[in-house]
Amino acid sequence: MEKNALDTDIQYLPGVGPKRALLLRKELGAGTVGDLLKIYPFRYIDRSSIIPIKDAAPDMAYIQIRGKVSEINLFGSKGSISPEDLKFNTVKRMSVTVTDGTGYMEAVFFKGIKWMYSKLVPDEEYVFFGKPSVFKGRLNMVHPEVDKVRDQEKRQDGKSSINSSLTGVYTLTEKLRSSGITGKVMNRLMENALISALPDIEETLPEYLLIEKGLVPLQFAVRNIHFPKDQTALEKARYRLKFEELFYLQLSLLKQKYVRSRNENGIRMPKVGDAFRICYDSLPFSLTGAQKRVITEIRNDMKSGRQMNRLLQGDVGSGKTMVAVLTALIAVGNGYQACIMAPTEVLAQQHFKNISRYLDGTGVKAALLTGSSKTGERRDIHAGLEDGSIGIIVGTHALFEDNVVFRNLGLAIIDEQHRFGVEQRARLWRKSSCGMAPHILVMTATPIPRTLAMTLYGDLDVSVIDELPPGRKPVQTIAATEGKRPAMFRFLKDQISLGRQVFIVYPLIFESEKMDYKNLETGYEQIAGAFPFPPYKTAIVHGQQSNEEKKFNMDAFAAGRADILVATSVIEVGVDVPNASVMVIESAERFGLSQLHQLRGRVGRGSEKSYCILMTGNRLSRESKRRIQLMCATENGFELAEEDMKMRGPGNLEGTRQSGLPIELNIASLAKDGLILNDARQCAQSILKADPTLSLPRNRILAETVSQDKYKVRDYSQIS
Ligand code: ADP
Ligand code: MG
């Protein structure tokens, strides 16, 4: 068989060689010609336009200036030096004055000076390509690309084998640049790569799909993404590549789901059982419409004979815990055990306390297992899990230990799933000695934008609690700077005198725990000074305390023995204190949107009007300012998550950082390409509906592509 030129080692590409190959591999991950062609420009420049110096402004992107070199000055560390000194390497900076008759521009070089100096001839005309800025009132360009006018004209004459009016700009590292792989060189390498390998690029989408969706062929797309014939061709190329990327992602996720939904691999739990009924009937409130709907969805899964793999999303305080308890009771009512996993000890304790309350009268035994469970206690729990006398176990990572064995685990509920790794989940499944995978319910209070959820959890069914229990009053959110602190303290005193309680949260940054601790201590002293005992009682919780200390202080606050809880963001994931009506967040600009939202969710749980006060510094970055404004403008977690994703990109969103995206996207963006994603998903869905196993001849390419390694995304249902 003929060798595919795409697989050619990059060092054999004209213009590369062993040295550059090493660099391209290390810096860009490009080992073959095919890899190189998958590096797309992040921007394009219209090389046909020249800007007069008088019209150039620092807010412009990359531009071209055409002008004569009128003066060249060299500088060493002690000021001006002569060209003689070039040989001694003492030159630090070269300043080139350029004029085009409309004004003057300074081109500045800090590196590669010798070479550039030898290239530039006074009074000759050149084209300077770079980002304009202004320095001491004069137009300035740092490290522009420089072309002799003759070369430049040659380029535009179409002498080159690939003709394009838009020039791609690639992300290059400093290492690449300093080894001579500049933007211009990169363009040339791409050109060579296309010449040698374009004919070998095989279509990756079936023809019927190209026609149906009006997509351009892959060869056209690859050629025009690097060297667009014009703007329209570029748009078409982009659309095709984005569509393909999102389409295959969805196809692989949905295929897994289809395969699973055809398997009768789940534990059948046909009834709701007595425990469920007793608990349900004795609830002091009625469930919200959303809670009822979600429980019905869950119930249908559990009685279907197929394994449940469901994600439950709901804002803080929407009543997920309640749903978790009722779900666990269905498992117990059918003769199985349930486990509820929490990411932290504090949260596990809180879950256990809440859950135990609901179990009164049901006869179901629950237990709590965490890292700090005592040996004797632990032994009893292990025994109870093995003989089946414990129906519901609440715990942390301690549940993963090898000596924890269940009699018949039928359901695993995972709270804030992103803190557990896939492997740990797999270990949990293996603990079920009945030989069948337990039903899985993943709960998250981190609202995830729809496009992201489709991708992160494309293989899970999603339930959303989009309704808060009745009687919740909106939380009023206020931003304030240091000058307002006395007024803020007065406000807190008023609230406390009305019998309310107050959270004051300090940021915790992992790189500098010591410094944060100091921040917290200083803050605490300030609070203690402003709120002296008596009459005020202040508790403090932070990461350097032992679990007992934390619990002691948290309990004091929860029980109303303290008016103020000063804390690092550890309270983010938990405590439920309905009487707390004010959340003060110090240095709020240091928190992400979703963290701020989570923290705010700690108040507004009781029937009193609640407040969230965001204390910030006086000078905020644009992004911080926007975050604070958004917090004051909306309480809707999904809206905030959408905005967060737009500002920071999907990879940095809270809740996605650890689990990561199933595959890396090269060109599509979850934040910006929601419409294409929807279309791609629908398209994948209808193909799978007609051909769930992708075995029709016309879907051969699809079957081959999704069987590639990169599409083997994690599978929550996996037992081993
Ligand atoms: P989440 O886990 O989603 O943050 P919780 O389950 O902890 O929310 O519920 C928050 C509070 O609301 C709890 O005090 C709970 O008892 C209460 N709650 C839950 N469901 C309802 C409901 N349908 N009506 C009234 N209160 C409810
Ligand atoms: Mg909760």
Side-chain angles (χ1 to χ4, degrees), residues 132-143:
S133 55
V134 166
F135 185 69
K136 290 190 177 158
R138 183 187 259 197
L139 190 69
N140 173 294
M141 227 182 232
V142 178
H143 276 250

Side-chain angles (χ1 to χ4, degrees), residues 316-317 320-321 347 351 354 415 443 574 602 605:
V316 246
K320 293 183 297 298
T321 311
L347 199 56
H351 271 328
N354 286 338
D415 196 4
M443 301 199 295
R602 296 292 121 210
R605 304 194 141 211

Side-chain angles (χ1 to χ4, degrees), residues 543-572:
Q544 315 223 321
Q545 288 170 333
S546 69
N547 283 323
E548 288 90 81
E549 276 177 291
K550 270 187 220 167
K551 187 169 180 314
F552 179 84
N553 285 296
M554 213 85 104
D555 284 351
F557 186 69
R561 289 193 299 274
D563 309 299
I564 301 175
L565 182 68
V566 175
T568 48
S569 45
V570 284
I571 57 166
E572 174 195 348

Side-chain angles (χ1 to χ4, degrees), residues 583-627:
M583 166 66 65
V584 177
I585 305 176
E586 296 284 352
S587 305
E589 68 271 25
R590 286 168 65 186
F591 290 91
L593 258 184
S594 92
Q595 262 183 319
L596 290 172
H597 179 65
Q598 296 280 320
L599 286 170
R600 179 168 59 183
R602 296 292 121 210
V603 295
R605 304 194 141 211
S607 49
E608 302 306 329
K609 177 158 175 51
S610 299
Y611 304 86
C612 175
I613 302 174
L614 306 172
M615 296 300 290
T616 68
N618 288 315
R619 289 158 146 260
L620 299 183
S621 71
R622 221 172 55 196
E623 207 190 293
S624 307
K625 207 181 263 168
R626 173 104 183 105
R627 271 204 301 273

Side-chain angles (χ1 to χ4, degrees), residues 299-315:
R299 215 176 107 47
N300 287 338
D301 285 353
M302 292 171 87
K303 69 179 179 196
S304 70
R306 290 184 295 271
Q307 187 202 9
M308 171 166 75
N309 276 276
R310 189 167 282 281
L311 172 72
L312 175 58
Q313 280 198 68
D315 230 329

Side-chain angles (χ1 to χ4, degrees), residues 194 197-203 216-225 240:
L194 280 178
L198 191 65
D200 284 359
I201 294 180
E202 279 174 39
E203 185 52 58
V216 296
L218 185 56
Q219 288 198 4
F220 179 98
V222 173
R223 188 185 189 286
N224 280 280
I225 201 77
R240 139 88 208 214

